[in-house]
Amino acid sequence: MPPVSGLHLQFGADASREVVVSWQTPVPVKRPRVMLGTPTHGFGTEVVARTSFYKDAKSGQTIYVHHAPLSRLRPGTDYVYAAVHDGATPEPGSFRTGPGGRAPFTFTSFGDQGTPTVGVLNGPRPPKITQKLTYLNDNLGSPYANDVTTAVEAVAPLFHLINGDLCYANLATDRIRTWSDWFDMTSRSARFRPWMPAAGNHENELGNGPIGFAAYQTYFTLPGNGGDPETRGLWYAFKVGSVRVISLANDDVAYQDGGNSYIRGYSDGSQRRWLEAELARTRADRDIDWIVVVMHQVVISTADHPGNGADLGIRQEWLPLFDRYGVDVVVCGHEHHYERSHPIRGHQPNDTMTPDPAATRTDLVDTTAGTVHMVIGGGGTSIPSMDVLFDTPQCNVITGVGATGANGKKTPVYVSEAAPWSAFRDRVNPYGFVAFSVDPGNRPGGRTTMAVTYYAVTGLYGQTEPIDSFTLQRTRNDGNSPR
């Protein structure tokens, strides 16, 4: 029997009580299950895992993923577990559930990771090698993908947000190998804390499901969104203490043609309707202060070509909702550098809907004035974009697409704008992540804060250097003060 491989965790809709343990195998296995307990008392419960599978359209190989949902857990509690199936050695891990109410915790975020390995260009996969193999970096990987994982694990956050483009399997000669390499690399963190993803354009794989996300949807079990099986897990939300995290799938609204197939508008507005209902419900919940959105493509960017630029489709669809319901912070990837905006609210009356800054102080930001957007796309990809940032901040905005070009993609139509919303850009360091430390405060109706630090990953063994630090603040939602 194959071993337990790619062990990873996900939160359910309520992080204080729901965790899913997942792993994958290349063949079906018998009795996949998780043994669960606490550090003090050891294992005492066994939870049966359900098995999902998909057949990769490119290789014809089927992958089986086993998901054990752990429910009715105790808030703010440390657990130990071991994943196992018949014939395999149990693979251990541990995790801590989210707090049951307002309590401090830290989470981290980056996007656009890749793997530290290369892919096979030609020749059969082992163990049937009968000819010389040719290798190439076909999935945009770099050694820093490994270093950034190490750096996140050194912080030991409660959970991690990965802002799309997890491993670039859709570009790889061997998509299955690329997913496997990514899970092998990230499992040394993701088996101890949930890594909660957003679907990026490079999760779109030709032939894998009706809109290309079958692999992504099989590897992860994420909170439900009330949609049909086609959109399962592509957008979702979960609650951690006084924070609601909302993950969006931007290929549904973005103009840019960036995946293996062009799928703009695939939800026929259902994602937007779900988002508005989720935001309205969240802002009415007196137990929740902060709204954090994780998504892939961006609203702001000061990268010149060959960077992607901002996308008007996202500005048109999401920004009015972010404004109306007071989203606090949005974390993205897609552009392979780090930058952040001033709090933005509303937009200029022009063709690109240039966001208006609501304030310009950079060390302390009141998010009741507007939403801070953060590009955190230095997770490890081999093509960073910090060296193509405009000298004076400006933005290329994709306002539509034209005819299909030689690369098989619809040609983007760009309009340039000034960037009055630009607050900070790292033009030196290609790789890094951001840590958010939530302090709920101690008085109803008082202030709650998030201390935010961008760490550049600068060397082997996850060596880091703090580059940008600031504080977000807002009024708690449990008093009589206005939000």
Short mmCIF file of all heavy atoms in Angstrom, two decimals, residues 346-395:
data_model
loop_
_atom_site.label_atom_id
_atom_site.label_comp_id
_atom_site.label_asym_id
_atom_site.label_seq_id
_atom_site.Cartn_x
_atom_site.Cartn_y
_atom_site.Cartn_z
N GLY A 346 -14.66 54.29 -2.82
CA GLY A 346 -15.15 54.99 -3.99
C GLY A 346 -14.11 55.05 -5.08
O GLY A 346 -13.01 54.51 -4.97
N HIS A 347 -14.46 55.74 -6.19
CA HIS A 347 -13.54 55.80 -7.32
C HIS A 347 -13.78 57.05 -8.14
O HIS A 347 -14.83 57.71 -8.04
CB HIS A 347 -13.71 54.56 -8.21
CG HIS A 347 -15.07 54.42 -8.82
ND1 HIS A 347 -15.45 55.06 -9.98
CD2 HIS A 347 -16.16 53.72 -8.41
CE1 HIS A 347 -16.70 54.75 -10.26
NE2 HIS A 347 -17.17 53.95 -9.33
N GLN A 348 -12.78 57.36 -8.96
CA GLN A 348 -12.87 58.52 -9.84
C GLN A 348 -13.82 58.21 -11.01
O GLN A 348 -13.98 57.04 -11.40
CB GLN A 348 -11.48 58.89 -10.36
CG GLN A 348 -10.51 59.31 -9.28
CD GLN A 348 -9.13 59.63 -9.82
OE1 GLN A 348 -8.94 59.74 -11.03
NE2 GLN A 348 -8.16 59.77 -8.92
N PRO A 349 -14.43 59.25 -11.60
CA PRO A 349 -15.37 59.02 -12.70
C PRO A 349 -14.65 58.88 -14.04
O PRO A 349 -14.80 59.70 -14.96
CB PRO A 349 -16.24 60.29 -12.66
CG PRO A 349 -15.32 61.34 -12.15
CD PRO A 349 -14.42 60.67 -11.16
N ASN A 350 -13.83 57.83 -14.15
CA ASN A 350 -13.09 57.61 -15.40
C ASN A 350 -13.26 56.16 -15.85
O ASN A 350 -13.91 55.35 -15.17
CB ASN A 350 -11.60 57.97 -15.23
CG ASN A 350 -10.94 57.19 -14.09
OD1 ASN A 350 -11.44 56.17 -13.63
ND2 ASN A 350 -9.79 57.68 -13.64
N ASP A 351 -12.66 55.84 -16.98
CA ASP A 351 -12.88 54.52 -17.58
C ASP A 351 -12.29 53.38 -16.76
O ASP A 351 -12.71 52.23 -16.91
CB ASP A 351 -12.28 54.48 -18.99
CG ASP A 351 -13.05 55.35 -19.97
OD1 ASP A 351 -14.21 55.71 -19.66
OD2 ASP A 351 -12.49 55.68 -21.03
N THR A 352 -11.29 53.67 -15.93
CA THR A 352 -10.64 52.61 -15.15
C THR A 352 -11.16 52.52 -13.72
O THR A 352 -10.69 51.68 -12.96
CB THR A 352 -9.12 52.81 -15.14
OG1 THR A 352 -8.83 54.09 -14.58
CG2 THR A 352 -8.54 52.71 -16.54
N MET A 353 -12.09 53.40 -13.34
CA MET A 353 -12.60 53.42 -11.96
C MET A 353 -11.46 53.52 -10.96
O MET A 353 -11.38 52.77 -9.98
CB MET A 353 -13.45 52.17 -11.67
CG MET A 353 -14.71 52.05 -12.49
SD MET A 353 -15.62 50.49 -12.17
CE MET A 353 -15.92 50.57 -10.41
N THR A 354 -10.54 54.45 -11.19
CA THR A 354 -9.38 54.62 -10.31
C THR A 354 -9.83 54.77 -8.86
O THR A 354 -10.59 55.69 -8.53
CB THR A 354 -8.58 55.87 -10.71
OG1 THR A 354 -8.19 55.76 -12.08
CG2 THR A 354 -7.34 56.03 -9.84
N PRO A 355 -9.39 53.89 -7.97
CA PRO A 355 -9.83 53.97 -6.56
C PRO A 355 -9.35 55.26 -5.90
O PRO A 355 -8.24 55.73 -6.14
CB PRO A 355 -9.18 52.75 -5.92
CG PRO A 355 -8.94 51.80 -7.05
CD PRO A 355 -8.60 52.68 -8.22
N ASP A 356 -10.21 55.81 -5.05
CA ASP A 356 -9.88 57.03 -4.31
C ASP A 356 -9.31 56.68 -2.94
O ASP A 356 -9.93 55.90 -2.20
CB ASP A 356 -11.13 57.90 -4.11
CG ASP A 356 -11.51 58.67 -5.35
OD1 ASP A 356 -10.60 59.07 -6.10
OD2 ASP A 356 -12.72 58.87 -5.56
N PRO A 357 -8.15 57.24 -2.59
CA PRO A 357 -7.66 57.02 -1.22
C PRO A 357 -8.49 57.82 -0.23
O PRO A 357 -8.80 58.99 -0.45
CB PRO A 357 -6.22 57.54 -1.30
CG PRO A 357 -6.23 58.54 -2.41
CD PRO A 357 -7.24 58.06 -3.41
N ALA A 358 -8.86 57.18 0.88
CA ALA A 358 -9.66 57.83 1.91
C ALA A 358 -8.79 58.48 2.98
O ALA A 358 -9.27 59.30 3.76
CB ALA A 358 -10.60 56.82 2.57
N ALA A 359 -7.51 58.09 3.04
CA ALA A 359 -6.55 58.65 3.98
C ALA A 359 -5.17 58.31 3.45
O ALA A 359 -5.03 57.43 2.59
CB ALA A 359 -6.75 58.07 5.38
N THR A 360 -4.15 59.00 3.93
CA THR A 360 -2.80 58.78 3.40
C THR A 360 -1.76 58.46 4.48
O THR A 360 -0.59 58.32 4.17
CB THR A 360 -2.33 60.00 2.61
OG1 THR A 360 -2.39 61.17 3.43
CG2 THR A 360 -3.18 60.21 1.36
N ARG A 361 -2.17 58.35 5.72
CA ARG A 361 -1.21 57.94 6.75
C ARG A 361 -0.84 56.48 6.53
O ARG A 361 -1.72 55.64 6.25
CB ARG A 361 -1.83 58.13 8.13
CG ARG A 361 -0.88 57.84 9.28
CD ARG A 361 -1.49 58.24 10.62
NE ARG A 361 -0.64 57.82 11.72
CZ ARG A 361 -0.89 58.07 13.00
NH1 ARG A 361 -2.00 58.74 13.33
NH2 ARG A 361 -0.07 57.64 13.95
N THR A 362 0.44 56.14 6.62
CA THR A 362 0.88 54.79 6.27
C THR A 362 1.21 53.91 7.46
O THR A 362 1.34 52.70 7.30
CB THR A 362 2.12 54.85 5.36
OG1 THR A 362 3.16 55.57 6.03
CG2 THR A 362 1.80 55.52 4.03
N ASP A 363 1.34 54.48 8.66
CA ASP A 363 1.71 53.65 9.82
C ASP A 363 0.51 53.19 10.62
O ASP A 363 0.54 52.13 11.25
CB ASP A 363 2.69 54.40 10.72
CG ASP A 363 2.08 55.70 11.28
OD1 ASP A 363 1.20 56.28 10.62
OD2 ASP A 363 2.50 56.13 12.37
N LEU A 364 -0.57 53.96 10.62
CA LEU A 364 -1.78 53.62 11.34
C LEU A 364 -2.96 53.89 10.42
O LEU A 364 -3.14 55.02 9.94
CB LEU A 364 -1.90 54.46 12.61
CG LEU A 364 -3.14 54.19 13.48
CD1 LEU A 364 -3.11 52.76 14.03
CD2 LEU A 364 -3.22 55.21 14.62
N VAL A 365 -3.76 52.86 10.16
CA VAL A 365 -4.84 52.95 9.17
C VAL A 365 -6.15 52.56 9.84
O VAL A 365 -6.28 51.46 10.39
CB VAL A 365 -4.57 52.03 7.97
CG1 VAL A 365 -5.72 52.12 6.97
CG2 VAL A 365 -3.24 52.37 7.31
N ASP A 366 -7.13 53.46 9.78
CA ASP A 366 -8.47 53.17 10.27
C ASP A 366 -9.27 52.60 9.11
O ASP A 366 -9.59 53.31 8.15
CB ASP A 366 -9.12 54.43 10.81
CG ASP A 366 -10.43 54.15 11.54
OD1 ASP A 366 -11.11 53.17 11.16
OD2 ASP A 366 -10.77 54.90 12.47
N THR A 367 -9.61 51.31 9.19
CA THR A 367 -10.27 50.66 8.06
C THR A 367 -11.75 50.98 7.98
O THR A 367 -12.41 50.56 7.01
CB THR A 367 -10.07 49.14 8.12
OG1 THR A 367 -10.58 48.63 9.35
CG2 THR A 367 -8.59 48.78 7.99
N THR A 368 -12.31 51.71 8.94
CA THR A 368 -13.68 52.19 8.75
C THR A 368 -13.72 53.25 7.66
O THR A 368 -14.79 53.54 7.11
CB THR A 368 -14.25 52.76 10.06
OG1 THR A 368 -13.45 53.86 10.50
CG2 THR A 368 -14.31 51.70 11.14
N ALA A 369 -12.56 53.83 7.30
CA ALA A 369 -12.50 54.82 6.23
C ALA A 369 -12.44 54.17 4.86
O ALA A 369 -12.89 54.75 3.86
CB ALA A 369 -11.29 55.74 6.43
N GLY A 370 -11.85 52.96 4.78
CA GLY A 370 -11.69 52.32 3.48
C GLY A 370 -10.97 51.00 3.60
O GLY A 370 -10.50 50.61 4.69
N THR A 371 -10.86 50.30 2.49
CA THR A 371 -10.27 48.96 2.43
C THR A 371 -8.81 49.04 2.01
O THR A 371 -8.49 49.69 1.01
CB THR A 371 -11.04 48.09 1.43
OG1 THR A 371 -12.43 48.07 1.78
CG2 THR A 371 -10.49 46.68 1.40
N VAL A 372 -7.93 48.36 2.73
CA VAL A 372 -6.53 48.26 2.35
C VAL A 372 -6.36 47.03 1.47
O VAL A 372 -6.72 45.92 1.87
CB VAL A 372 -5.62 48.17 3.60
CG1 VAL A 372 -4.18 47.91 3.19
CG2 VAL A 372 -5.72 49.46 4.42
N HIS A 373 -5.79 47.23 0.29
CA HIS A 373 -5.49 46.13 -0.63
C HIS A 373 -4.01 45.82 -0.58
O HIS A 373 -3.17 46.74 -0.64
CB HIS A 373 -5.90 46.50 -2.06
CG HIS A 373 -7.38 46.50 -2.27
ND1 HIS A 373 -8.03 45.53 -3.00
CD2 HIS A 373 -8.35 47.35 -1.83
CE1 HIS A 373 -9.33 45.79 -3.01
NE2 HIS A 373 -9.54 46.88 -2.31
N MET A 374 -3.68 44.53 -0.49
CA MET A 374 -2.29 44.10 -0.38
C MET A 374 -1.98 43.07 -1.46
O MET A 374 -2.70 42.08 -1.63
CB MET A 374 -2.03 43.51 1.00
CG MET A 374 -2.36 44.47 2.14
SD MET A 374 -2.00 43.79 3.77
CE MET A 374 -0.20 43.79 3.74
N VAL A 375 -0.92 43.32 -2.22
CA VAL A 375 -0.41 42.36 -3.20
C VAL A 375 0.74 41.62 -2.52
O VAL A 375 1.74 42.24 -2.16
CB VAL A 375 0.08 43.07 -4.47
CG1 VAL A 375 0.65 42.05 -5.45
CG2 VAL A 375 -1.05 43.86 -5.12
N ILE A 376 0.57 40.31 -2.33
CA ILE A 376 1.58 39.50 -1.63
C ILE A 376 1.88 38.29 -2.52
O ILE A 376 1.49 37.16 -2.22
CB ILE A 376 1.09 39.06 -0.24
CG1 ILE A 376 0.34 40.19 0.48
CG2 ILE A 376 2.26 38.59 0.62
CD1 ILE A 376 -0.40 39.75 1.73
N GLY A 377 2.55 38.52 -3.64
CA GLY A 377 2.73 37.49 -4.64
C GLY A 377 4.14 36.95 -4.74
O GLY A 377 4.52 36.44 -5.79
N GLY A 378 4.90 37.02 -3.63
CA GLY A 378 6.27 36.54 -3.63
C GLY A 378 6.45 35.23 -2.92
O GLY A 378 7.42 35.04 -2.17
N GLY A 379 5.54 34.29 -3.13
CA GLY A 379 5.59 33.02 -2.42
C GLY A 379 6.64 32.05 -2.91
O GLY A 379 6.86 31.03 -2.27
N GLY A 380 7.31 32.34 -4.03
CA GLY A 380 8.37 31.45 -4.49
C GLY A 380 8.51 31.31 -5.99
O GLY A 380 9.44 30.68 -6.48
N THR A 381 7.59 31.90 -6.76
CA THR A 381 7.67 31.78 -8.22
C THR A 381 9.01 32.27 -8.77
O THR A 381 9.63 33.18 -8.20
CB THR A 381 6.52 32.56 -8.88
OG1 THR A 381 6.69 32.55 -10.30
CG2 THR A 381 6.50 34.00 -8.42
N SER A 382 9.42 31.69 -9.87
CA SER A 382 10.73 32.01 -10.46
C SER A 382 10.72 33.28 -11.30
O SER A 382 11.76 33.67 -11.84
CB SER A 382 11.21 30.84 -11.33
OG SER A 382 10.30 30.59 -12.40
N ILE A 383 9.58 33.96 -11.43
CA ILE A 383 9.54 35.19 -12.24
C ILE A 383 8.97 36.35 -11.41
O ILE A 383 7.84 36.77 -11.62
CB ILE A 383 8.73 34.99 -13.54
CG1 ILE A 383 7.36 34.34 -13.26
CG2 ILE A 383 9.51 34.16 -14.54
CD1 ILE A 383 6.44 34.35 -14.48
N PRO A 384 9.77 36.86 -10.45
CA PRO A 384 9.29 37.98 -9.63
C PRO A 384 9.08 39.23 -10.48
O PRO A 384 9.65 39.38 -11.56
CB PRO A 384 10.40 38.17 -8.61
CG PRO A 384 11.61 37.59 -9.24
CD PRO A 384 11.13 36.45 -10.09
N SER A 385 8.26 40.17 -9.95
CA SER A 385 7.93 41.38 -10.71
C SER A 385 8.35 42.66 -10.01
O SER A 385 8.01 43.74 -10.46
CB SER A 385 6.42 41.42 -11.02
OG SER A 385 5.63 41.29 -9.85
N MET A 386 9.10 42.57 -8.92
CA MET A 386 9.49 43.79 -8.20
C MET A 386 10.41 44.67 -9.04
O MET A 386 10.49 45.88 -8.83
CB MET A 386 10.13 43.48 -6.85
CG MET A 386 11.60 43.14 -6.85
SD MET A 386 11.96 41.57 -7.64
CE MET A 386 13.75 41.57 -7.53
N ASP A 387 11.10 44.07 -10.03
CA ASP A 387 12.04 44.84 -10.84
C ASP A 387 11.37 45.54 -12.03
O ASP A 387 12.04 46.23 -12.80
CB ASP A 387 13.18 43.96 -11.34
CG ASP A 387 12.71 42.72 -12.08
OD1 ASP A 387 11.49 42.45 -12.07
OD2 ASP A 387 13.55 42.02 -12.66
N VAL A 388 10.03 45.39 -12.18
CA VAL A 388 9.33 46.11 -13.25
C VAL A 388 8.32 47.11 -12.69
O VAL A 388 7.45 47.59 -13.41
CB VAL A 388 8.63 45.15 -14.24
CG1 VAL A 388 9.66 44.27 -14.95
CG2 VAL A 388 7.58 44.28 -13.55
N LEU A 389 8.44 47.43 -11.39
CA LEU A 389 7.57 48.45 -10.82
C LEU A 389 7.91 49.82 -11.42
O LEU A 389 9.08 50.15 -11.60
CB LEU A 389 7.72 48.50 -9.30
CG LEU A 389 7.34 47.24 -8.53
CD1 LEU A 389 7.50 47.46 -7.03
CD2 LEU A 389 5.92 46.79 -8.85
N PHE A 390 6.90 50.60 -11.75
CA PHE A 390 7.11 51.93 -12.29
C PHE A 390 7.91 52.77 -11.30
O PHE A 390 7.74 52.68 -10.08
CB PHE A 390 5.77 52.62 -12.55
CG PHE A 390 5.03 52.10 -13.74
CD1 PHE A 390 3.90 51.31 -13.60
CD2 PHE A 390 5.44 52.44 -15.03
CE1 PHE A 390 3.20 50.85 -14.69
CE2 PHE A 390 4.74 51.99 -16.14
CZ PHE A 390 3.63 51.18 -15.97
N ASP A 391 8.80 53.63 -11.83
CA ASP A 391 9.57 54.52 -10.96
C ASP A 391 8.64 55.43 -10.17
O ASP A 391 8.78 55.59 -8.96
CB ASP A 391 10.55 55.35 -11.79
CG ASP A 391 11.67 54.52 -12.38
OD1 ASP A 391 11.95 53.44 -11.82
OD2 ASP A 391 12.24 54.92 -13.40
N THR A 392 7.71 56.07 -10.88
CA THR A 392 6.65 56.84 -10.23
C THR A 392 5.38 56.01 -10.29
O THR A 392 5.00 55.55 -11.36
CB THR A 392 6.42 58.18 -10.96
OG1 THR A 392 7.63 58.93 -10.94
CG2 THR A 392 5.29 58.96 -10.30
N PRO A 393 4.74 55.78 -9.14
CA PRO A 393 3.61 54.85 -9.14
C PRO A 393 2.55 55.19 -10.18
O PRO A 393 2.03 56.31 -10.24
CB PRO A 393 3.05 54.97 -7.72
CG PRO A 393 4.23 55.37 -6.89
CD PRO A 393 5.04 56.28 -7.79
N GLN A 394 2.24 54.23 -11.03
CA GLN A 394 1.11 54.28 -11.93
C GLN A 394 0.63 52.86 -12.16
O GLN A 394 1.25 51.91 -11.67
CB GLN A 394 1.47 54.97 -13.25
CG GLN A 394 2.62 54.34 -14.00
CD GLN A 394 2.94 55.10 -15.29
OE1 GLN A 394 2.11 55.19 -16.19
NE2 GLN A 394 4.13 55.67 -15.36
N CYS A 395 -0.44 52.71 -12.88
CA CYS A 395 -1.07 51.40 -12.99
C CYS A 395 -1.55 51.14 -14.40
O CYS A 395 -2.16 52.01 -15.04
CB CYS A 395 -2.26 51.32 -12.03
SG CYS A 395 -3.16 49.76 -12.01
#
